[in-house]
């Protein structure tokens, strides 16, 4: 490198960092190919796309990511320290720091640790700029230190991102997506979960050591360029060249997305760049159905809905009239965190990790083919609370203006029930507190516990046993009031880091294994039911037990159906006869079925239907945050953005094995039914008409 050539330093640094980014991305793809989540069955063109397009995508992201290197070059100047500019800049930094530190700002509204990060950054800039402003001798060594530190941060970020992508893929089988965006918001729980789940101290120590060595290799021949600063025209030329490169990179990244729509999800995911996928998910957290998906003429969609649901067209309103008197039994709805059907002996598991649930199913009305609406907790809560198809983008629970909706809690509250939502963690997570309180649920979460009521907790909340003990106490108080109660309990223990009290099950509490989490969850549920049997209100209570979603949603297809199969049962000795229903049903049908068993007559707007009704149409609605599935009569229809629609014949094999065979000729009736369901609910939610009562 020529002496005093700041421009050459910038070019060389960017080139090295971009090269490192591409190399790490290449190695990461190889690692992910051999991950247990990945099913490698690609044609030659798939392999070419993964590596050649993958390198191109990494190259583009690497160029764009050099923004802070460019910014650092632009602000290498002595002029900013002169009067009056230096004092004005420093004063603005001080005011900015005070504003963020002591006032309510957009960073506080964003949530998580955003306000602390912003305050820390501005505080650092106040001190660092002030030192250079008032002590000129520090400016040259400061620039040198700043340069090395910036390169170190870049190297660390590149390596840390690779490690993060590996663990994210290991959990979800995809690059960063909408889940990662959600996790960014709830930094306390997520960072706590990471530190409880993984050996972070040795991992981060190794990462910093490797980053320091790589930084030394990349910067050991930088030359003595920190004294001679670039002139205006040098900065201008570098800015023009860099700006054009960024525009080309953005254009190529967007163009390459057309190659990420193949039938093999793994090819699509592996060729993409995780950081760009994160950005795309962040920008598309709410997808307008009418803008991005296939639609029918509005009148035609409503007419189809009226025929299918026997409704009158007013926001899917229809009258359910039972010939028998209503039975106002207590209702306890338990949604178990991440309880895949594949964990149960009933569905082929041989590990014996759900002995109580397996036994309880023999005494319950069991629905053997229930499929979850989505792959997040908020989707499961939405399915059993609102009983509507999953919406693209954010769940209704996480959207603004989601109060006073037509819900299962409303149906029960109108009958004099006390309506409560129990959650072992802090219910602000995933916007649960806002949603449930806005729909007239009383919330009992971790904030409601006294210290004596907590025997064990992790970052997600108190253990399931503590939650159930709290529920028993509150329900006893409810029963004493002489009116029926509805308790919706959401568990937390079957979640990474899978920690739980010791001495409860035969899997050590420090194993941090999924099997341990499942077995402890089963144990705690068993204790709850057995204790409930001792309560005077037990004989007058119906228990609905299901999962919020499966433990994993990774698969080689957009919607791997076997990863949506969840257990579900209704348990009420002496009231609901044990038996099994082998019809395909949706998670949104469970609560309307319960209302049928209780002989409720009401004006409904649920898309969920009574499974036991002779006119019930067997179907399941399953979705990711952007792919919307409708499964009926052995045909799965998937609606995707860019108004794309695909259909597959569902071939069910032994156990949980399900294969999807592309349909050569579209089934128009099934396609239209899929569109009708998602289009109408999307339209009514958009114009805010799906309210408690019209």
């Amino acid at each position: 490198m020529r002496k005093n050539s700041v421009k050459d330093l910038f070019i060389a640094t960017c080139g090295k960092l971009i090269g490192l980014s591409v190399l790490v991305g290449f190695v990461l793809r190889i690692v992910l190919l051999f991950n247990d989540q990945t099913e490698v069955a690609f044609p030659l063109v798939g392999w070419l796309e993964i590596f050649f397009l993958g390198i191109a995508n990494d190259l583009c992201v690497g160029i764009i990511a050099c923004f802070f290197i460019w910014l650092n070059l632009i602000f290498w100047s002595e002029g900013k320290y002169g009067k009056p500019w230096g004092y004005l800049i420093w004063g603005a930094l001080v005011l900015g720091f005070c504003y963020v530190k002591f006032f309510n700002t957009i960073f506080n509204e964003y949530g998580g640790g955003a306000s602390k990060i912003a305050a820390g950054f501005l505080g650092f800039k106040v001190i660092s700029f002030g030192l250079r402003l008032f002590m000129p001798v520090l400016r040259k060594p400061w620039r040198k230190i700043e340069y090395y530190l910036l390169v170190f941060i870049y190297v660390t970020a590149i390596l840390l991102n690779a490690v993060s992508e590996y663990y994210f893929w290991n959990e979800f089988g995809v690059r960063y997506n909408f889940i990662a965006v959600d996790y960014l918001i709830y930094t306390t729980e997520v960072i706590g979960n990471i530190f409880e789940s993984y050996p972070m101290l040795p991992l981060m120590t190794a990462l910093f050591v490797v980053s320091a060595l790589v930084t030394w290799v990349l910067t050991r021949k930088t030359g003595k360029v920190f004294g001679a600063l670039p002139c205006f025209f040098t900065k201008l030329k570098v800015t023009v060249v860099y700006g054009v490169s960024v525009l080309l990179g953005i254009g190529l990244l967007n163009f390459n997305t057309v190659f990420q729509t193949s039938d093999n999800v793994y090819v699509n995911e592996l060729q993409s760049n995780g950081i760009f996928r994160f950005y795309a998910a962040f920008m598309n957290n709410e997808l307008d159905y009418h803008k991005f998906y296939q639609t029918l003429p509005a009148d035609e969609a409503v007419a189809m809905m009226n025929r299918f649901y026997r409704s009158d067209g007013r926001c899917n309103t229809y009258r359910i009239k039972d010939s028998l008197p209503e039975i106002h039994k207590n209702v306890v709805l338990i949604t178990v965190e991440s309880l895949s059907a594949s964990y149960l002996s009933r569905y082929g598991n041989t590990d014996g990790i759900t002995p109580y649930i397996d036994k309880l199913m023999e005494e319950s009305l069991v629905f053997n083919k229930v499929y979850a609406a989505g792959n997040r907790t908020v989707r499961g809560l939405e399915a059993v609370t609102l009983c509507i198809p999953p919406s693209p983008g954010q769940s209704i629970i996480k959207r603004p203006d989601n109060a006073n909706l037509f819900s299962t809690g409303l149906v029960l509250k109108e009958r004099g029930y006390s309506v409560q939502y129990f959650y072992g963690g802090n219910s602000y997570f995933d916007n649960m507190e806002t949603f449930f309180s806005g729909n007239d649920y009383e919330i009992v979460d971790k904030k409601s516990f006294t210290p004596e009521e907590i025997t064990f907790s992790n970052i997600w909340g108190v253990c399931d046993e503590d939650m159930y003990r709290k529920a028993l106490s509150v329900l006893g108080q409810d029963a004493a009031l002489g009116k029926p109660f509805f308790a919706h309990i959401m568990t937390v223990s079957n979640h990474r880091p899978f920690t739980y009290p010791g001495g409860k099950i035969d899997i050590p509490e420090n194993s941090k294994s999924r099997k341990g989490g499942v077995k402890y969850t089963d144990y705690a549920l068993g204790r709850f039911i057995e204790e409930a049997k001792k309560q005077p209100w037990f004989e007058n209570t119906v228990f609905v037990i299901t999962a919020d979603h499966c433990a994993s949603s990774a698969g080689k297809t957009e919607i791997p159906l076997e990863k949506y199969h969840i257990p579900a049962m209704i348990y009420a000795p002496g009231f609901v006869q044990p038996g099994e229903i082998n019809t395909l049903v949706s998670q949104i049908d469970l609560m309307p079925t319960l209302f049928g068993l209780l002989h409720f007559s009401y004006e409904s707007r649920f898309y969920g239907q009574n499974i036991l009704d002779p006119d019930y149409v067997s179907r399941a609605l399953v979705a990711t945050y952007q792919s919307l599935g409708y499964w009926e009569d052995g045909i799965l229809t998937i609606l995707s953005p860019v108004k794309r629609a695909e259909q597959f014949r569902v071939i069910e094999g032994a156990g949980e094995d399900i294969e999807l065979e592309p349909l050569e000729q579209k089934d128009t009736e099934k396609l239209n039914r899929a569109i009708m369901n998602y289009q109408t609910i999307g339209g009514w939610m958009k114009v805010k008409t799906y309210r408690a009562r019209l």
Side-chain angles (χ1 to χ4, degrees):
M1 182 183 298
R2 297 192 306 275
K3 185 178 180 180
N4 298 333
S5 176
V6 175
K7 180 183 70 174
D8 288 351
L9 174 65
F10 168 79
I11 294 171
T13 302
C14 288
K16 291 174 182 177
L17 291 174
I18 292 169
L20 177 65
S21 180
V22 171
L23 176 62
V24 171
F26 181 82
V27 173
L28 178 62
R29 284 185 178 85
I30 295 175
V31 171
L32 296 183
L33 276 166
F34 288 96
N35 189 278
D36 290 339
Q37 291 272 32
T38 312
E39 296 181 25
V40 182
F42 315 137
L44 177 60
V45 66
W47 289 96
L48 294 176
E49 287 181 11
I50 287 171
F51 288 103
F52 284 98
L53 291 179
I55 289 172
N57 290 327
D58 291 345
L59 179 65
C60 293
V61 170
I63 291 171
I64 297 168
C66 285
F67 172 81
F68 292 103
I69 301 289
W70 166 79
L71 199 64
N72 192 54
L73 170 72
I74 295 301
F75 282 96
W76 271 7
S77 167
E78 283 291 329
K80 65 184 178 184
Y81 299 111
K83 295 181 180 179
W85 300 113
Y87 297 96
L88 290 174
I89 293 172
W90 190 66
L93 289 171
V94 171
L95 289 174
F97 170 75
C98 292
Y99 176 61
V100 171
K101 182 69 176 177
F102 302 110
F103 294 89
N104 187 45
T105 69
I106 189 174
F107 299 107
N108 300 100
E109 298 299 324
Y110 177 75
S115 61
K116 293 180 181 178
I117 293 171
F121 174 76
L122 287 171
F124 169 77
K125 295 301 290 185
V126 166
I127 295 171
S128 65
F129 189 85
L131 287 172
R132 285 173 283 158
L133 176 64
F134 298 112
M135 302 176 67
V137 70
L138 295 177
R139 293 173 191 171
K140 181 179 177 180
W142 190 277
R143 280 192 291 270
K144 192 171 184 178
I145 293 170
E146 191 175 52
Y147 168 77
Y148 289 130
L149 181 61
L150 186 59
V151 174
F152 173 76
I153 291 172
Y154 261 87
V155 171
T156 303
I158 291 169
L159 297 179
L160 179 60
N161 176 67
V163 174
S164 300
E165 284 209 63
Y166 167 77
Y167 282 113
F168 192 85
W169 184 282
N170 207 42
E171 184 78 10
F172 301 105
V174 293
R175 297 280 196 177
Y176 295 142
N177 60 10
F178 205 66
I179 298 173
V181 176
D182 276 358
Y183 280 4
L184 180 68
I185 296 173
Y186 300 102
T187 51
T188 301
E189 285 81 4
V190 173
I191 291 175
N193 178 41
I194 290 171
F195 272 86
E196 290 182 357
S197 301
Y198 304 107
M200 292 305 297
L201 183 60
L203 193 63
M204 295 304 293
T205 300
L207 181 68
F208 285 137
V209 170
V210 173
S211 297
L213 290 173
V214 173
T215 300
W216 176 78
V217 171
L218 296 182
T219 60
R220 70 186 190 279
K221 296 181 180 180
T222 54
K224 301 178 180 179
V225 300
F226 300 98
L229 302 180
C231 66
F232 172 78
F233 289 104
T234 298
K235 292 179 181 179
L236 181 61
K237 286 189 289 185
V238 169
T239 298
V240 170
V241 173
Y242 177 65
V244 171
S245 300
V246 167
L247 291 175
L248 290 173
I250 293 172
L252 185 57
L253 276 171
N254 283 291
F255 175 75
N256 281 350
T257 59
V258 304
F259 300 106
Q260 296 167 19
T261 58
S262 73
D263 292 335
N264 195 310
V265 172
Y266 292 114
V267 172
N268 300 335
E269 295 291 336
L270 287 167
Q271 68 174 276
S272 63
N273 177 277
I275 295 174
F276 182 70
R277 276 295 179 93
F278 181 90
Y279 164 78
F282 184 84
M283 296 303 293
N284 295 289
N285 58 356
E286 286 191 27
L287 297 175
D288 185 328
Y289 182 90
H290 291 75
K291 180 178 179 181
F292 291 101
Y293 294 84
Q294 281 196 25
T295 58
L296 296 167
D299 292 344
E300 183 180 337
V302 171
M304 284 186 63
M305 165 154 285
N306 291 342
R307 292 192 299 271
F308 189 86
Y309 290 103
R310 303 182 296 282
S311 59
D312 62 13
R314 294 179 303 123
C315 204
N316 193 34
T317 302
Y318 54 94
R319 182 71 187 173
I320 293 177
K321 180 66 175 175
D322 200 294
S323 59
L324 297 175
E326 293 189 355
I327 303 172
H328 293 171
K329 284 185 174 289
N330 304 314
V331 176
V332 176
L333 167 63
I334 303 174
T335 43
V336 182
E337 172 70 47
S338 304
L339 186 65
S340 303
S342 59
Y343 293 141
L344 277 63
S345 299
R346 186 183 193 92
Y347 303 112
N349 188 284
T350 58
D351 295 322
I353 52 178
T354 58
Y356 192 88
I357 294 176
D358 288 324
K359 176 179 176 293
L360 193 64
M361 281 186 149
E362 296 175 1
E363 305 168 18
S364 306
L365 177 62
V366 177
F367 304 94
N368 282 324
K369 293 186 66 175
V370 177
Y371 284 79
N375 48 27
R376 297 292 317 281
T377 294
V378 285
R379 292 300 190 187
L381 296 178
E382 179 184 88
V384 296
T385 303
L386 302 180
C387 306
I388 58 174
S391 51
Q394 289 272 27
S395 162
I396 301 302
I397 290 177
K398 294 179 64 61
R399 294 187 186 183
D401 197 22
N402 61 8
N404 194 33
L405 300 176
F406 186 78
S407 68
T408 53
L410 174 71
V411 173
L412 290 158
K413 196 173 189 68
E414 289 181 338
R415 282 153 179 76
Y417 282 71
S418 61
V419 175
Q420 295 161 320
Y421 177 66
F422 293 82
Y423 181 62
N426 290 309
S427 58
Y428 77 84
F429 184 77
D430 269 345
N431 207 43
M432 288 185 280
E433 184 172 27
T434 299
F435 172 76
F436 282 106
S437 62
N439 287 283
D440 291 329
Y441 283 70
E442 178 189 347
I443 295 175
V444 181
D445 67 357
K446 191 176 180 180
K447 298 188 295 292
S448 308
F449 284 68
T450 64
E452 295 75 23
E453 291 176 316
I454 302 175
T455 65
F456 182 92
S457 67
N458 61 22
I459 193 61
W460 292 113
V462 302
C463 65
D464 285 356
E465 284 179 278
D466 289 346
M467 181 71 261
Y468 287 134
R469 274 192 291 268
K470 181 72 170 181
L472 287 168
S473 173
V474 173
L475 297 184
Q477 297 170 23
D478 291 343
L481 297 176
K483 66 176 186 177
F485 57 74
F486 169 50
H488 181 175
I489 302 173
M490 179 69 225
T491 75
V492 300
S493 288
N494 187 31
H495 194 297
R496 194 175 298 279
F498 307 118
T499 55
Y500 43 84
K504 306 292 183 175
I505 59 174
D506 56 6
I507 300 176
E509 68 276 10
N510 59 1
S511 66
K512 294 187 176 182
S513 67
R514 170 73 72 177
K515 290 181 181 179
V518 172
K519 193 160 189 176
Y520 173 73
T521 295
D522 176 84
Y523 167 83
L525 176 62
R527 288 289 304 272
F528 171 67
I529 297 295
E530 293 305 313
E531 287 299 315
K533 289 178 180 179
K534 302 174 185 177
Q535 309 304 315
W537 47 260
F538 174 78
E539 291 185 0
N540 194 41
T541 302
V542 181
F543 296 83
V544 181
I545 303 169
T546 187
D548 58 347
H549 58 85
C550 283
S552 170
S553 59
K556 64 182 179 182
T557 57
E558 285 184 80
I559 301 179
L561 293 175
E562 68 277 7
K563 301 297 179 69
Y564 285 74
H565 186 201
I566 58 173
M569 71 188 95
I570 297 177
Y571 173 69
F575 176 64
V576 177
Q577 290 299 313
E580 57 182 9
I581 305 295
N582 294 311
T583 304
L584 171 68
V585 301
S586 176
Q587 189 178 27
I588 69 174
D589 298 325
L590 294 175
M591 291 304 286
T593 302
L594 171 71
F595 295 158
L597 288 168
L598 296 175
H599 303 298
F600 282 6
S601 295
Y602 60 105
E603 191 175 74
S604 176
R605 283 205 292 280
F606 294 140
Y607 284 62
Q609 302 289 290
N610 181 357
I611 300 163
L612 305 177
D613 191 311
D615 295 325
Y616 175 74
V617 177
S618 174
R619 81 280 179 270
L621 296 108
V622 294
T624 66
Y625 73 96
Q626 65 176 6
S627 296
L628 310 175
Y630 180 82
W631 179 9
E632 182 188 344
D633 285 343
I635 294 174
L636 174 66
T637 302
I638 299 179
L639 307 175
S640 303
V642 201
K643 300 186 182 296
R644 179 183 173 201
E646 298 174 284
Q647 288 187 314
F648 303 87
R649 187 167 303 284
V650 180
I651 303 172
E652 300 181 64
E656 295 288 283
D657 185 45
I658 295 179
E659 295 292 331
L660 299 181
E661 180 183 277
L663 213 59
E664 294 181 4
Q665 185 173 353
K666 281 191 169 58
D667 185 317
T668 305
E669 181 185 21
K670 303 300 187 302
L671 174 60
N672 288 342
R673 282 189 178 180
I675 295 172
M676 172 265 291
N677 277 280
Y678 289 110
Q679 177 180 331
T680 53
I681 191 59
W684 282 320
M685 285 297 178
K686 183 179 180 182
V687 297
K688 302 173 184 177
T689 57
Y690 193 80
R691 296 307 181 189
R693 291 298 179 201
L694 291 176

